[in-house]
Every structure is written in C-alpha cells, then in structure tokens.
C-alpha cells in the first residue's frame, strides 16, 4: 500500500525508475508503470468486466485505448464475460479481472498483494502459472506479497521477509531455509 501511495510512508523514501515517488499520488505512480492488485482484489463490482479493464487504460503511457489482446490470451474466460458485472464473478474470476486490469496499463512493475486469498486451488495454480509466464516470457518484474509459502516458493525467485516493516531476511528462494521459516513465518 505504501509503494502504491495508498498509505503514507512513515520513514525513508520510495524510488521507482530512478525517481523518488514517496509523495506522488497513486494515479501518478500508475502512470509511471506500477500495476497494483490489492488484497481483496479491489475491482469495481457494479461495473462490467469491460469497464473495469477500460479504467486501467486511462493511465497508459502510450495512449493505447483498446484492451490488448494479450489480456485475453492470459485470461480467456474474461472475453466471454465482458458484459457481466464484476460483482457477479466468482472470487477466482474477480482475481483474474483484478490482475488483468493491472496488466492493461502495461506496467514495468506488478504488485500482487495476497493473490491466492479466497481462491479455489485450481485457480491458484493457474494464477501461479500466469505469474511465472509474465516474469519469464515478458520480463515483467513482479512483487508478490504472499502468506502461502508453497505458492511463493513456486513462483518466486527471490524473497524478503519483513517483520514489523523491517527487512529481516532476504535472498534467492533457494536460501529460504526451514530455520528462517520457523523463526519468522510460523505461528
């Protein structure tokens, strides 16, 4: 939320693409290329799928005003739901819509906050596959905030563990050993 500008930064600063953006409003951060999928999805439930996607187009840097075909390649079910209201979709479909809306802006960075929350297992796996594709095939940088460790290990390359907002451990995913997990990630 702080990276996106939803919550103020208590201390320090946020730099993106060489520029300090700590005091910039969320819409400017989006225009700079930060796509954000908040925890709980944050779709507009009364708007149609198409309207939700078109909202993202408003902040594209290149002026494109049509929904890119790549969205429907990643999320083919959305093409058949363009006229359905976002609130009428299942949780998994809403999550796909939220990710698609963030991708419509053609981001340099995609922030996914708890993308597996409330999603059935088969869609969790599908979303994981999409995250991997976006990173490996399109070179998109993805910041994943996730509590489900198996999912994070599957899709992530690097990790950072935060404790009360401070980075207490980080490294490649292969360095995330059981000792760190039991120290910081178990209840």
């Amino acid at each position: 939320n702080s990276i996106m500008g939803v919550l103020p930064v208590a201390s320090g600063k946020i730099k993106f693409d060489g520029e300090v953006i700590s005091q910039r409003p969320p819409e400017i951060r989006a225009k700079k290329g930060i796509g954000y999928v908040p925890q709980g999805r944050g779709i507009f439930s009364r708007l149609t799928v198409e309207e939700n996607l078109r909202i993202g187009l408003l902040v594209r840097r290149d002026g494109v005003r049509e929904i890119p075909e790549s969205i429907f390649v990643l999320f083919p079910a959305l093409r058949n739901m363009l006229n359905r209201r976002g609130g009428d979709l299942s949780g998994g479909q809403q999550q796909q819509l939220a990710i698609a809306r963030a991708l419509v802006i053609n981001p340099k960075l995609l922030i996914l906050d708890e993308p597996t929350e409330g999603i059935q297992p088969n869609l969790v796996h599908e979303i994981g596959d999409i995250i991997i594709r976006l990173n490996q095939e399109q070179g998109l940088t993805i910041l994943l905030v996730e509590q489900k460790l198996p999912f994070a290990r599957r899709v992530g390359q690097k990790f950072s563990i935060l404790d009360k907002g401070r980075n207490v451990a980080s490294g490649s995913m292969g360095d995330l050993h059981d000792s760190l997990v039991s120290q910081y990630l178990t209840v």
Side-chain angles (χ1 to χ4, degrees), residues 3-175:
I3 293 171
M4 200 58 219
V6 177
L7 291 176
V9 177
S11 64
K13 58 187 170 186
I14 298 169
K15 283 180 88 174
F16 180 71
D17 227 10
E19 179 184 342
V20 176
I21 61 169
S22 308
Q23 303 303 317
R24 306 294 294 225
E27 62 273 14
I28 297 299
R29 296 175 197 212
K31 284 183 180 181
K32 296 226 171 266
I34 302 176
Y36 178 54
V37 180
Q39 184 175 4
R41 302 180 233 344
I43 61 147
F44 299 103
S45 61
R46 293 183 180 259
L47 298 182
T48 66
V49 167
E50 182 175 7
E51 290 166 335
N52 268 277
L53 293 172
R54 288 195 176 280
I55 284 174
L57 292 172
L58 298 174
V59 297
R60 276 188 73 118
R61 299 173 305 281
D62 58 8
V64 168
R65 294 297 174 246
E66 293 300 318
I67 300 166
E69 183 61 27
S70 61
I71 296 300
F72 302 117
V73 170
L74 288 170
F75 304 105
L78 292 181
R79 184 187 306 277
N80 299 326
M81 299 179 186
L82 288 173
N83 294 317
R84 288 181 64 188
R85 290 185 342 164
D88 295 338
L89 304 180
S90 72
Q93 292 165 338
Q94 288 182 9
Q95 188 66 312
Q96 290 177 0
L97 175 58
I99 295 170
R101 186 182 60 203
L103 290 173
V104 160
I105 75 165
N106 192 26
K108 297 176 188 176
L109 169 66
L110 176 62
I111 301 172
L112 299 170
D113 192 355
E114 301 285 348
T116 65
E117 181 181 62
I119 308 293
Q120 59 192 31
N122 66 322
L123 283 178
V124 168
H125 191 79
E126 185 178 319
I127 287 171
D129 289 346
I130 288 168
I131 291 170
I132 292 167
R133 279 181 62 191
L134 289 168
N135 177 256
Q136 292 179 355
E137 294 174 13
Q138 296 181 19
L140 180 60
T141 300
I142 299 170
L143 173 60
L144 173 70
V145 179
E146 181 59 61
Q147 292 185 29
K148 292 182 179 168
L149 189 55
F151 181 81
R153 279 187 160 145
R154 178 176 170 254
V155 303
Q157 296 173 359
K158 297 179 182 177
F159 76 93
S160 290
I161 299 174
L162 303 179
D163 186 26
K164 298 180 181 128
R166 299 214 181 272
N167 185 356
V168 294
S170 60
S172 69
M173 199 55 81
D175 295 334

